[in-house]
Amino acid sequence: MLSFRALSALAALLVSLPAAAAQSPAAVFGIELAEPGTIGPRPVKPEDARRLGLASEALRREVAGRGLEPVDLTPQAAAIRRDAPFYKCEGCAEKIAQAAGAAYVVYGYVQRSAPQVLNLTVTITEAGSGKVLRGGQVVIQGDTDETWLHGVRSLVKNRLFAEPLPNRS
């Protein structure tokens, strides 16, 4: 992980950027569904696919409001399909982000631990080095649109863009 000094510098950079003037380009990938224990791809249920889309769009809006400007990943659609899921591939998200002109990478996944309990994990890395800058996890209790969206907002606010705690990094 990064040192306290590096986290402080990143936080200062993201907080001090004028919203309109200095947006940092970021590849914000769609949130994926992680299903441990399954072998091979499994079709995503329509309700889960819809909620993944809602959560992914909320993540894009939330990080855009905090100084990271999502880049258009449409030209990289074939590479995204080929390399996904990003929580398993080591460095492929960063390569796609660099090709899209992004300085940062934001990706995440939801893992169902019980029918009404989900874990949402999101990571922010540097596209050039792959260094993890920020990451966090939140437990979503309840499988509704609102609980998923609340989980995204909470994670962004309280983990990804929260000020570092003194003497803890």
Side-chain angles (χ1 to χ4, degrees), residues 29-36 48 51-52 55-56 59 84-89 106-113 118-124 135-140 148 151-152 155 160:
F29 293 95
I31 296 173
E32 300 168 311
L33 183 63
E35 295 188 275
D48 285 341
R51 286 199 177 112
L52 287 167
S56 297
L59 180 61
F86 294 117
Y87 63 89
K88 285 185 177 181
C89 76
V106 181
Y107 63 92
Y109 63 93
V110 170
Q111 183 177 10
R112 192 176 303 280
S113 54
L118 303 108
N119 297 306
L120 170 63
T121 303
V122 176
T123 304
I124 301 175
Q137 181 180 26
V138 67
V139 175
I140 300 171
W148 281 54
V152 170
L155 181 59
L160 299 181

Side-chain angles (χ1 to χ4, degrees), residues 8 12 22 43 50 52 59 69-70 120 125 151 157:
S8 297
R50 189 180 64 73
L52 287 167
L59 180 61
E69 184 61 37
L120 170 63
T125 65
K157 177 183 174 189

